[in-house]
């Protein structure tokens, strides 16, 4: 905070390995006063330094941050596996290496962006004027993040927010404080980022997130988390009319068309659905299959899920590790019970895997026999739990996929690519994968329709979330 590594006034709190329940260590437990000081530091750094004006300097700082994180990649990989329970293979992608690399894209953007546009001369109401439109930083950004992909989400906020010239107070989730604290460390020790520009405030107390959303010195809140908390953030920000950028929950559909290779599609749906124990907001957790091939689809998917299983995240071959906490496991078990009560059956899984006495585990699970009206099919479970539903053709599949309060992501698999693309265009979601295509990337805007969020993260659209627009007219 403010360029220094400081203990929390609230003492320290434990961070736990979800695969083993072992206490990894402690993190600074910030108090409301600490948060107050962090916001003051960010405000001062924005108002009293040239940070926002010097695009080249910011680009250099972002590259230093990238290099600093890359130098510590091995240590960060182990930390991420242990603190998040992230399967090792994911740390070579979205859990670590990809978001660190992506900082270069935002550094390049800061240098190459068209910060000013000349609209030329005009004579509005007979008064000769030369007009320009300039883009500039919004100010102090309050970033509030969840635990499931901490580096990806922390850096997808820090990268564009800093590239755009803002200063930031980052409040990470209480479950993954170390993944954020290490950013503060690298920034303080290995970059020229001035004091106060980035302030990482770890805390066991969710109220510090709410404090950030309400403080009048904060200009924009960039939030990723559940839709329920997103509503609170929006309401909290309303009093000071600050801008909000929300990345929220999802219940995305994986649509298998009747001309798809059913075996390949369902095997892929199983893999995609339980990666990182299903703890991804954009994971496709409703599998929609042609009614005539429903039973076959259930068999293929269940077999694939059982074969993948839940395993030690340290193991290279593990796709599905533990869930983050006992609380989260309880929540998922609540949904399993609910699904059974709603008439659902488990084609595989449905409980805790055998032989794992320590750690927070749920078996990869496939629920059959429900309709899209059931709560298990409508609400976000955030675990390795998939619901399979029959559809009666493309129009019906689109109808079911879109019949959701969410609109984050989706997937379509079909033999005729033109047709699959057509279905993809009809899905009311922010991202869609067709036949296994990967939309994730620094240059690709990501975000949700409907109750999955407001705004876009990453890409030029994500960068522009952190900018204001100013028109300047000179009398000539
Ligand atoms: P959460 O909403 O409980 O918490 C997210 C963050 O908000 C944490 O840092 C928490 O401390 C803070 N917080 C809690 N109450 C707050 C309040 N009243 N005001 C301000 N901040 C508050 O979510 P979680 O359990 O950490 O994460 C899981 C959820 O995040 C899932 O719903 C998932 O879909 C969503 N998610 C969305 C995306 C996306 O990009 N759309 C990405 C990852 C996760």
């Amino acid at each position: 905070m403010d360029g220094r590594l400081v203990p929390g006034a609230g003492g320290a709190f434990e961070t736990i390995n979800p695969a083993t329940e072992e206490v990894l260590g402690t993190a600074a437990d910030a108090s409301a006063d600490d948060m107050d000081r962090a916001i003051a530091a960010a405000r001062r750094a924005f108002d009293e330094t040239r940070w926002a004006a010097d695009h080249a300097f910011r680009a250099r700082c972002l590259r230093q941050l990238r290099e600093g994180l890359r130098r510590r990649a091995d240590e960060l990989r182990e930390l991420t596996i242990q603190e998040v329970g992230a399967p090792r293979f994911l740390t070579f992608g979205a859990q670590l290496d990809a978001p660190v690399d992506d900082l270069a894209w935002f550094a390049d953007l800061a240098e190459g962006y068209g910060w000013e546009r000349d609209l030329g001369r005009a004579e509005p109401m007979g008064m000769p004027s030369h007009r320009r439109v300039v883009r500039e930083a919004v100010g102090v950004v309050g970033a509030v993040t969840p635990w499931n992909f901490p580096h990806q989400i922390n850096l997808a906020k820090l990268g564009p927010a800093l590239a755009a010239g803002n200063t930031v107070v980052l409040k990470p989730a209480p479950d993954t404080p170390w993944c954020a604290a290490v950013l503060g460390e690298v920034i303080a020790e290995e970059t020229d980022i001035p004091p106060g520009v980035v302030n990482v405030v770890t805390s066991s107390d969710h109220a510090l997130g709410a404090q950030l959303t309400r403080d009048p010195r904060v200009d924009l809140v960039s939030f990723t988390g559940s839709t329920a908390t997103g509503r609170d953030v929006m309401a909290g920000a309303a009093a000071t009319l600050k801008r909000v950028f929300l990345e929220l929950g999802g219940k995305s559909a994986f649509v298998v068309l009747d001309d798809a290779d059913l075996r390949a599609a369902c095997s892929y749906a199983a893999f995609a659905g339980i990666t990182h124990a299903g703890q991804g907001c954009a994971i496709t957790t409703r599998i929609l299959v042609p009614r005539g091939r429903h039973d076959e689809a259930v068999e293929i998917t269940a077999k694939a899920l059982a074969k993948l299983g839940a395993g030690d995240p340290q193991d290279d071959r593990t796709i599905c590790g533990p869930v983050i906490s006992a609380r989260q496991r309880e929540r998922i078990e609540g949904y399993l019970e609910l699904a059974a009560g709603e008439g659902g059956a488990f084609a595989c899984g449905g409980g805790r895997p055998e032989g794992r006495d320590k750690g927070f585990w749920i078996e990869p699970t496939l629920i059959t026999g429900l309709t899209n009206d059931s709560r298990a099919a409508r609400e976000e479970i955030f675990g390795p739990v998939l619901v399979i539903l029959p559809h009666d053709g493309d129009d019906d599949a689109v109808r079911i996929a879109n019949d959701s309060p969410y609109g984050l992501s989706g997937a379509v698999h079909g033999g005729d690519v033109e047709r699959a693309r057509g279905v993809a265009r009809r899905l009311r979601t922010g991202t869609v994968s067709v036949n296994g295509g990967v939309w994730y990337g620094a240059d690709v805007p990501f975000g949700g329709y409907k109750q999955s969020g407001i705004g876009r993260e990453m890409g030029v659209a994500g960068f522009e979330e952190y900018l204001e627009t100013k028109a300047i007219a000179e009398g000539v």
Side-chain angles (χ1 to χ4, degrees):
M1 183 198 303
D2 207 3
R4 290 177 308 122
L5 305 172
V6 290
F13 68 108
E14 289 177 344
T15 186
I16 289 169
N17 182 334
T20 61
E21 296 181 46
E22 169 203 359
V23 176
L24 294 169
T26 60
D29 200 359
S31 67
D33 283 347
D34 291 328
M35 178 56 92
D36 189 69
R37 275 194 290 278
I39 297 170
R43 188 73 258 169
R44 201 171 52 244
F46 185 78
D47 292 339
E48 298 175 16
T49 75
R50 284 192 36 77
W51 173 252
D54 194 341
H55 308 321
F57 174 59
R58 296 200 308 276
R60 198 176 83 219
C61 288
L62 280 172
R63 291 189 186 110
Q64 289 171 334
L65 174 58
R66 178 172 179 263
E67 288 319 306
L69 291 168
R70 278 161 69 113
R71 270 194 292 278
R72 292 175 67 170
D74 291 342
E75 172 205 340
L76 282 176
R77 197 173 314 288
E78 299 312 315
L79 163 70
T80 310
I81 295 166
Q82 291 179 37
E83 189 176 52
V84 186
R88 179 174 295 277
F89 90 96
L90 272 180
T91 65
F92 296 99
Q95 279 287 13
L96 180 64
D97 291 352
V100 169
D101 275 348
D102 288 348
L103 288 173
W105 193 84
F106 291 107
D108 293 348
L109 189 60
E111 281 176 336
Y113 189 68
W115 293 93
E116 186 167 323
R117 206 151 49 91
D118 192 337
L119 296 187
R121 237 181 104 117
E123 296 201 6
M125 290 155 289
M127 290 184 272
S129 306
H130 194 131
R131 295 95 28 88
R132 290 185 180 80
V133 174
V134 295
R135 305 301 306 268
E136 57 188 29
V138 172
V140 174
V141 171
V144 181
T145 59
W147 42 262
N148 59 330
F149 280 79
H151 300 301
Q152 199 284 320
I153 298 167
N154 292 339
L155 292 174
K157 297 195 185 304
L158 272 186
L162 297 180
N166 299 278
T167 61
V168 179
V169 178
L170 169 64
K171 205 236 43 93
D175 294 294
T176 49
W178 281 7
C179 285
V182 77
L183 282 176
E185 220 172 84
V186 172
I187 285 169
E189 290 170 358
E190 303 201 34
T191 76
D192 294 326
I193 294 178
V197 166
V198 179
N199 307 275
V200 180
V201 183
T202 58
S203 176
S204 61
D205 188 355
H206 294 303
L208 267 65
Q211 182 182 346
L212 200 48
T213 65
R214 296 204 174 95
D215 194 291
R217 295 166 294 177
V218 175
D219 299 293
L220 180 156
V221 179
S222 178
F223 171 80
T224 298
S226 63
T227 293
T229 309
R231 273 188 207 103
D232 286 351
V233 167
M234 203 167 173
T240 47
L241 281 178
K242 53 175 64 75
R243 276 170 52 178
V244 289
F245 165 65
L246 305 174
E247 292 290 356
L248 309 176
K251 189 77 183 182
S252 302
F254 188 106
V255 178
V256 183
L257 301 178
D258 62 14
D259 65 344
D261 174 340
L262 192 73
R263 179 162 300 281
C266 289
S267 305
Y268 187 68
F271 164 81
I274 61 157
T275 297
H276 190 29
Q279 300 169 115
C281 49
I283 286 182
T284 40
T285 49
R286 287 182 296 153
I287 309 177
L288 312 187
V289 297
R291 190 178 297 278
R293 302 190 70 186
H294 170 266
D295 294 354
E296 202 185 332
V298 168
E299 196 188 322
I300 296 166
T301 313
K303 240 187 215 158
L305 289 172
K307 188 159 174 226
L308 290 168
D312 183 353
Q314 293 284 0
D315 188 332
D316 291 332
R317 291 157 304 179
T318 294
I319 305 299
C320 173
V323 300
I324 191 73
S325 62
R327 189 178 66 93
Q328 195 65 15
R329 180 180 57 190
E330 227 172 81
R331 193 174 165 271
I332 298 164
E333 287 176 333
Y335 273 107
L336 295 178
E337 226 172 89
L338 183 76
E342 289 180 308
F346 302 123
C348 74
R352 300 182 187 185
E354 267 175 43
R356 292 206 178 270
D357 311 327
K358 285 280 176 198
F360 314 120
W361 300 89
I362 295 280
E363 288 175 294
T365 298
L366 182 65
I367 307 176
T368 62
L370 293 180
T371 64
N372 197 50
D373 298 334
S374 61
R375 281 186 58 194
R378 294 193 85 72
E379 298 178 16
E380 185 178 53
I381 298 175
F382 227 57
V385 180
L386 306 177
V387 175
I388 194 162
L389 302 164
H391 70 75
D392 294 311
D394 297 11
D395 289 350
D396 194 43
V398 168
R399 180 189 63 75
I400 299 170
N402 287 340
D403 179 12
S404 167
Y406 295 114
L408 193 54
S409 191
V412 183
H413 281 238
D416 175 351
V417 180
E418 198 67 39
R419 177 178 158 197
R421 198 183 294 143
V423 170
R425 287 183 189 277
R426 293 168 66 193
L427 298 186
R428 302 282 301 156
T429 62
T431 49
V432 190
S433 157
V434 175
N435 289 341
V438 176
W439 41 255
Y440 178 84
D443 56 342
V444 182
F446 169 73
Y449 287 23
K450 300 192 266 182
Q451 294 186 33
S452 287
I454 297 176
R456 292 292 176 272
E457 192 141 82
M458 310 216 286
V460 174
F463 172 75
E464 290 179 340
E465 293 283 346
Y466 295 97
L467 293 177
E468 285 283 13
T469 301
K470 177 186 284 173
I472 302 175
E474 291 171 16
V476 287

